């Protein structure tokens, strides 16, 4: 008796990057469509919403505290001061406009190009209006900056002069205390007189210093005032529609592509639809014995010969499987009913060379019974006529295991089945459901034909159906455990070959031994 050994399922990674990359690549229609949509939206925005006429001017700003290693703090302060109601009101006053300062500030902006160069951009209804606005804002900023420089210099000078006047008063008091000359007196009076002379000398020196600093404060102001000026006259900015369309289209393309990749990645993780052959084989508990690409099913004019050769190879492989036993074989589709019908007809044509064949059609949609037969096609009947067929004719069934399928008819259709599965169509839970339902109905799965696989999938879809080497060494000399009174598990390999142990699908590996024996 054959014993099915449930191997412990390996811990699945939290996120399979290879499967995620393949799933995202298979959803290229999603992110490709979003990228194209972003490109079209960007171009449409550039064409339908052109920027308003814009004028630009540059102002050289001289600062009193300029330093060679200044990180740009002073020019950023000037940019912030540019967007104040005081400068906006001054510009509006020079323009003679009654517009509010808050609304006017939205029509111009400033940016620091260097530590001392400020760029001002202004928009308007026309190019001339934009130039006038930019000039008014620049002149208002220069006037405000010059006024602040003069006010700062005047404040510094007045503070220094006030200090000088205070010390001058103290000097006058010291001179009054000294009098006309050094009087003759006691030694204590002589020492006091010497200290007054020293104080007078100190006060005179400090008064001279404050006078010099006040003069320097006034002398530096004209240099700063002359250094703050408009160095680039206001002029309109030329607008190129092709450049704007290319720029906006490129930005929209990148944003749409990023959004599409994110959507595809999230949909792949949430959808949990296996696309790699190793995952599909593991979840179904059967090896991938053949593959059929999309180009082989729907070839172009230049690939028809190659497509026919690919379909012929798959039909030959299925024919060898069908000839391995006398019982009927069924093709059960999941997500590819039309492709399963094509494979069933191809298999029937191949087998018809040796013996009479009839195709039993149980597909809910895209059935074969309603199609127009071609020369050389086998006979196609419905499920209701399958029971009345002669016993000497080989039957090839084709049915569906998609959601909503009639599971009760599968056991009557055939005892062996080949699953025709489209990669990325069924969820993990549904693949487990298919494997469990077929096992419950004693339908042996002899292999999986993978339709539309990923061209860059290099994973192995073959399940190793023997015990591990270590387990084989440990089990030598001991008879295999036999289940008393139980039939072989439905997912075991059947046929005339030697008895063997086949790996169970993932859902069966988690079923306790008592549960399996009870089944």
């Amino acid at each position: 008796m054959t014993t099915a050994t449930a191997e412990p399922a390996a811990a699945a990674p939290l996120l399979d990057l290879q499967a995620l990359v393949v799933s995202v690549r298979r959803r290229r229609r999603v992110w490709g469509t979003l990228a194209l949509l972003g490109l079209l939206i960007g171009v449409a925005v550039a064409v339908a919403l052109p920027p308003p006429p814009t004028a630009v001017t540059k102002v050289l700003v001289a600062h009193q505290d300029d330093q060679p290693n200044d990180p740009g703090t002073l020019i950023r302060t000037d940019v912030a001061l540019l967007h104040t109601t005081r400068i906006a009101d001054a510009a509006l006053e020079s323009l003679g406009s009654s517009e509010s300062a808050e609304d006017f500030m939205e029509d111009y902006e400033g940016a620091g190009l260097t530590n001392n160069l400020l760029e001002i951009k202004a928009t308007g209804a026309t190019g001339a209006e934009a130039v006038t606005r930019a000039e008014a804002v620049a002149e208002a900023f220069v006037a405000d900056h010059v006024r602040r420089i003069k006010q700062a210099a005047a404040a510094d000078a007045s503070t220094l002069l006030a200090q000088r006047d205070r010390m001058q008063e103290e000097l006058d008091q010291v001179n009054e205390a000294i009098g006309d000359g050094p009087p003759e007196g006691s030694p204590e009076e002589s020492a006091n007189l010497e200290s007054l002379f020293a104080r007078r000398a100190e006060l005179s020196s400090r008064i001279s210093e404050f006078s010099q600093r006040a003069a320097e404060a006034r002398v530096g102001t004209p240099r700063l005032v002359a250094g703050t000026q408009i160095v680039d006259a206001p002029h309109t900015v030329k607008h190129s529609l092709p450049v704007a369309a290319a720029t906006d289209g490129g930005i929209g393309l990148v944003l749409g592509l990023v959004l599409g990749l994110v959507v595809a990645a999230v949909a792949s993780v949430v959808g949990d639809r296996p696309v790699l052959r190793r995952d599909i084989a593991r979840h179904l508990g059967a090896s991938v014995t053949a593959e059929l690409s999309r180009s082989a099913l729907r070839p172009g004019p230049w690939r028809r010969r190659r497509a026919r050769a690919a379909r012929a190879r798959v039909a030959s492989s299925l024919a060898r499987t069908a000839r391995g036993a006398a019982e009927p074989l069924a093709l059960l589709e999941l997500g590819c009913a039309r492709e399963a019908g094509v494979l069933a007809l191809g298999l029937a044509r191949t087998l018809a060379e040796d013996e009479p064949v009839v195709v039993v059609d149980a597909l809910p949609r895209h059935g074969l019974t309603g199609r127009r037969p071609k020369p050389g096609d086998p006979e196609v009947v419905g499920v209701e006529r399958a029971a009345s067929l002669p016993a000497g004719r080989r039957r090839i069934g084709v049915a569906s295991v998609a959601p909503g399928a009639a599971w009760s008819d599968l056991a009557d259709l055939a005892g062996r089945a080949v699953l025709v599965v489209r990669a990325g169509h069924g969820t993990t839970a549904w693949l487990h459901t298919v494997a469990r339902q077929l096992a419950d109905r004693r339908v042996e799965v002899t292999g999986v034909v993978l339709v539309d696989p990923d061209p860059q999938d290099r994973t192995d879809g073959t399940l190793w159906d023997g015990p591990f080497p270590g387990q084989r060494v440990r089990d030598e000399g001991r008879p295999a455990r036999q289940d008393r009174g139980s039939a072989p598990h439905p997912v075991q390999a059947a046929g005339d070959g030697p008895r063997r142990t086949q790996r169970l699908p993932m859902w069966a590996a988690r079923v306790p031994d008592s549960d399996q024996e009870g089944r």
Side-chain angles (χ1 to χ4, degrees), residues 350-398:
T350 304
L351 294 176
E353 299 175 357
D354 302 330
E355 55 183 331
V357 180
V358 61
V359 178
V360 180
D361 179 21
L363 292 174
R365 293 180 302 174
H366 306 288
L368 302 177
T369 55
R371 64 185 297 272
R372 180 179 300 177
K374 297 180 180 179
D377 283 353
E379 181 183 0
V380 179
V381 299
V383 182
E384 62 279 358
R385 293 181 53 191
S388 61
L389 292 175
R393 305 182 67 180
R394 180 180 292 275
R395 292 189 302 173
I396 301 297
V398 54

Side-chain angles (χ1 to χ4, degrees), residues 93 129 144 146 205 297 302 330 336 397 422 428 471 496 503:
E93 184 178 356
E129 183 180 359
D144 182 77
V146 169
S205 176
L297 296 171
W302 58 92
C336 48
R422 181 180 295 276
T428 299
Q471 183 70 23
D496 300 331
R503 184 176 178 180

Side-chain angles (χ1 to χ4, degrees), residues 56-100:
V56 63
T57 182
K58 295 182 179 65
V59 179
L60 181 64
V61 184
H63 301 99
Q64 190 173 3
D65 299 328
D66 269 339
Q67 297 293 334
N69 56 352
D70 179 43
T73 306
L74 298 177
I75 197 66
R76 286 198 297 269
T77 302
D78 295 332
V79 172
L81 290 174
L82 190 67
H83 291 81
T84 56
T85 55
R86 184 170 64 180
I87 294 180
D89 288 335
L92 289 173
E93 184 178 356
S94 64
L95 292 173
S97 175
S98 59
E99 186 179 1
S100 63

Side-chain angles (χ1 to χ4, degrees), residues 94-266:
S94 64
L95 292 173
S97 175
S98 59
E99 186 179 1
S100 63
E102 289 77 8
D103 296 338
F104 181 65
M105 283 189 292
E106 296 179 357
D107 296 336
Y108 70 88
E109 62 180 5
L113 303 180
T114 64
N115 291 345
N116 297 97
L117 191 61
L118 176 65
E119 183 183 64
I120 300 175
K121 290 183 179 181
T123 59
T126 60
E129 183 180 359
V131 170
T132 304
R133 287 187 168 192
E135 184 178 6
V137 173
E139 291 178 351
F141 174 79
V142 170
D144 182 77
H145 187 73
V146 169
R147 182 172 61 253
R148 286 187 285 108
I149 291 176
K150 291 182 178 179
Q151 290 176 355
D156 292 341
S158 67
T159 301
L160 294 173
L161 292 177
Q163 289 289 97
R164 186 199 64 179
D165 295 341
R166 185 179 61 79
M167 291 183 180
Q168 184 64 43
E169 293 177 359
E170 185 178 354
L171 179 61
D172 294 341
Q173 294 176 2
V174 171
N175 289 334
E176 185 179 354
I178 293 175
D180 297 335
E184 297 180 359
S186 61
E188 295 179 357
E189 293 178 354
S190 299
N192 187 22
L193 187 60
E194 290 179 1
S195 64
L196 291 175
F197 277 109
R199 180 62 178 167
R200 183 173 66 179
E202 180 184 0
L203 291 174
S204 298
S205 176
R206 297 189 66 181
I207 289 172
S208 176
E209 179 184 357
F210 278 114
S211 298
Q212 182 179 0
R213 289 173 60 186
E216 291 177 354
R218 290 192 180 95
V219 168
T221 301
R223 179 177 59 84
L224 297 177
V225 170
T228 302
Q229 56 183 326
I230 299 176
V231 295
D232 190 7
H235 59 278
T236 57
V237 178
K238 295 182 179 180
H239 173 66
S240 176
L241 182 59
V243 174
T247 302
D248 294 349
I251 295 174
L253 175 66
V254 173
L255 293 179
L257 180 61
V258 172
L259 179 60
L261 291 176
V262 171
V263 171
V266 173

Side-chain angles (χ1 to χ4, degrees), residues 1 3-4 442 481-490 504 508 511-519:
M1 179 180 292
T3 303
R442 307 296 183 181
R481 182 178 65 88
Q482 306 231 351
D483 297 337
R484 299 178 180 177
S486 61
H489 200 277
L504 299 182
V511 178
D513 292 340
S514 60
D515 189 11
Q516 293 183 16
E517 294 177 1
R519 301 174 72 86

